[in-house]
Amino acid sequence: MFDHQLAEVYDLVYRRRGKDYRAEAAELAAAIRARRPGAASLLDVACGTGEHLAHLAEHFTEAEGLELSRGMLGVARAKLPHLTLHAADMCTFDLGRRFDAITCMFSSIGYLAERDRMHAAVARMAAHLTPGGVLVIEPWWSPERFIDKYVSGEAVSDAGVTVTRVSRTRRLDDAHAEMEVHFVVADSARIEHFSETHVLGLFSRAEHMAAFADAGCDAEFVEEGPSGPGLYVGVRTG
Ligand SMILES: C[S@@+](CC[C@H](N)C(=O)[O-])C[C@H]1O[C@@H](n2cnc3c(N)ncnc32)[C@H](O)[C@@H]1O
């Protein structure tokens, strides 16, 4: 999942699709500071290629990342050699320290697929928060808002490389969906095709809120999230 081939083209695809990581990081910092004015340290879980982290580091004195995919982590490390980036699974990680804020963005939590893994990840993130620390999770689609058999695609070009991305998402059952994504990458030397198929969890709002509560966080759901599925913002009470 999120193999080297995908990691290599990830930034190009989302930059050209208009995803504004800088603006999202500024909004995250504002949401965190509204709840924890003195927040100085932040961990971005499932940081991917480090795009949020690059900008979050402008708002927080200490900014670290955590990511499972070696390919994504390799891109992030090349981009952010001055930051600490951990190779770890968000369901089981233990970094031996705490942060004033933790973020987990762009539906990464959905890739855990199963409700007990989602709960475990929220618990691990909350365990790494200082008292009063803020946990921000951007979910994937809930069962109610998921659109079955959704097809999307685009072609993007930059610096002599053209990438075509086509995806199809379909419901597997009440709690799971499958996303199949195909890429064709062309430059002056090659044209290559690869694909990935991900199973994602369709977690309801009640399931997410229960995970925050079980982890000792007071949470609210913000409808206007950066990408569509909304945003959970929790504060660790103890
Ligand atoms: C859609 S990408 C989002 C990446 C990044 N947060 C962003 O906004 O661009 C989902 C990320 O979740 C990571 N991921 C999936 N399962 C994970 C796990 N169990 N632990 C840590 N990272 C995981 C993937 O490797 C991938 O980088």
Side-chain angles (χ1 to χ4, degrees):
M1 188 167 72
F2 289 89
D3 220 339
H4 285 83
Q5 286 172 302
L6 172 51
E8 274 175 27
V9 298
Y10 186 91
D11 285 351
L12 170 59
V13 168
Y14 288 105
R15 193 166 55 238
R16 288 286 163 162
R17 282 176 87 178
K19 189 166 173 62
D20 189 344
Y21 283 95
R22 176 185 291 278
E24 290 184 16
E27 283 172 21
L28 281 171
I32 290 164
R33 292 261 155 66
R35 292 159 179 88
R36 181 73 188 268
S41 57
L42 175 138
L43 174 69
D44 188 28
V45 168
C47 66
T49 60
E51 279 294 298
H52 282 120
L53 202 50
H55 301 296
L56 286 167
E58 296 164 11
H59 297 274
F60 295 88
T61 316
E62 287 179 86
E64 299 187 4
L66 180 147
E67 169 58 45
L68 183 63
S69 153
R70 294 277 166 183
M72 299 293 267
L73 200 54
V75 174
R77 283 191 167 136
K79 191 186 296 175
L80 305 168
H82 53 296
L83 298 187
T84 299
L85 303 178
H86 307 272
D89 186 329
M90 67 170 121
C91 299
T92 55
F93 73 101
D94 181 359
L95 304 183
R97 63 156 297 184
R98 295 182 180 204
F99 300 84
D100 298 329
I102 298 182
T103 52
C104 182
M105 299 300 292
F106 208 15
S107 304
S108 302
I109 196 99
Y111 291 85
L112 300 179
E114 304 302 333
R115 195 188 318 153
D116 57 347
R117 282 170 50 78
M118 180 272 283
H119 269 254
V122 174
R124 289 318 304 150
M125 289 189 253
H128 283 77
L129 282 177
T130 53
V134 182
L135 174 55
V136 183
I137 297 181
E138 183 183 15
W140 199 53
W141 298 106
S142 63
E144 300 77 26
R145 295 183 61 195
F146 175 73
I147 300 171
D148 196 15
K149 302 190 176 105
Y150 185 77
V151 174
S152 76
E154 64 273 310
V156 297
S157 297
D158 192 30
V161 181
T162 295
V163 181
T164 304
R165 176 190 181 278
V166 180
S167 70
R168 185 182 62 140
T169 311
R170 65 186 181 99
R171 190 185 286 268
L172 295 176
D173 57 35
D174 287 348
H176 303 91
E178 180 188 78
M179 183 194 295
E180 186 181 347
V181 194
H182 289 250
F183 294 86
V184 178
V185 182
D187 62 20
S188 59
R190 59 175 182 155
I191 299 181
E192 286 177 357
H193 166 263
F194 62 92
S195 64
E196 292 205 356
T197 301
H198 301 144
V199 174
L200 289 101
L202 295 167
F203 305 128
S204 68
R205 191 180 305 185
E207 287 168 342
H208 273 301
M209 294 299 270
F212 272 92
D214 289 351
C217 294
D218 277 345
E220 61 184 299
F221 180 68
V222 182
E223 294 277 355
E224 307 80 35
S227 324
L231 203 65
Y232 293 94
V233 185
V235 176
R236 182 173 159 151
T237 51

